[in-house]
Amino acid sequence: MSPSRTEPDQPRDEGPGVYDVNLPYKPVENETAHKRTEFPEYLPSWDDRKFYHDHHLEFGYEDPANRAAVHMPHLLKSPKVQTKDITPKMGTIIYGLNLKSLSDSAKDELAMLISKRKIVVFRDQLEFLSAGPA
């Protein structure tokens, strides 16, 4: 358990730990858990009366990256948009792209870029940041 930010010098009696993934989950007593964590509202909880099953309804899904043009003309068309690879096979930094003004085809191309490069970092997004959550 990580130390709390509010009481950093509080001694802890952790006791011996067992790290076997095959052991069933045993919930911690509420009082003990609430004393040991700064944010008790994030502790795991569930309703024992409700049955959680694995049956899910099928649904249709089309990956937006499949609709994108391979050479990404809508995403990287502006001369002020520059890209820099973080590593040769993974990660890209994009400069000069305004996420707020992307067209639907540019969003599809962005999905393809993310699926290829795995990590995409956008610099200078103050306008997007100040807009707040949608």
Side-chain angles (χ1 to χ4, degrees):
M1 171 82 39
S2 62
S4 173
R5 291 182 304 169
T6 56
E7 300 174 14
D9 297 329
Q10 180 182 12
R12 298 195 184 276
D13 182 20
E14 296 286 331
V18 177
Y19 301 102
D20 186 354
V21 294
N22 296 318
L23 293 175
Y25 176 74
K26 182 177 164 187
V28 180
E29 297 85 33
N30 273 344
E31 236 175 89
T32 305
H34 285 275
K35 287 179 186 174
R36 292 176 55 175
T37 183
E38 183 178 355
F39 303 103
E41 60 272 13
Y42 293 117
L43 291 172
S45 64
W46 56 88
D47 186 357
D48 288 332
R49 297 169 295 179
K50 187 172 181 181
F51 176 70
Y52 299 95
H53 54 85
D54 291 330
H55 177 70
H56 299 288
L57 300 175
E58 290 189 25
F59 59 93
Y61 175 73
E62 181 185 348
D63 189 353
N66 291 335
R67 299 188 298 248
V70 177
H71 55 286
M72 295 183 262
H74 302 98
L75 184 65
L76 306 175
K77 68 181 176 183
S78 174
K80 64 180 183 174
V81 175
Q82 298 175 347
T83 62
K84 178 183 174 188
D85 291 341
I86 298 172
T87 67
K89 295 191 178 224
M90 191 169 153
T92 300
I93 301 173
I94 299 181
Y95 300 93
L97 181 69
N98 186 356
L99 287 174
K100 219 175 155 187
S101 64
L102 289 180
S103 64
D104 288 341
S105 55
K107 290 176 187 175
D108 294 343
E109 293 169 4
L110 178 59
M112 183 180 64
L113 179 65
I114 291 171
S115 69
K116 284 182 177 180
R117 301 293 298 171
K118 308 302 180 215
I119 301 167
V120 179
V121 178
F122 300 97
R123 297 289 185 187
D124 306 323
Q125 296 298 313
L126 296 176
E127 185 179 326
F128 184 78
L129 183 64
S130 64

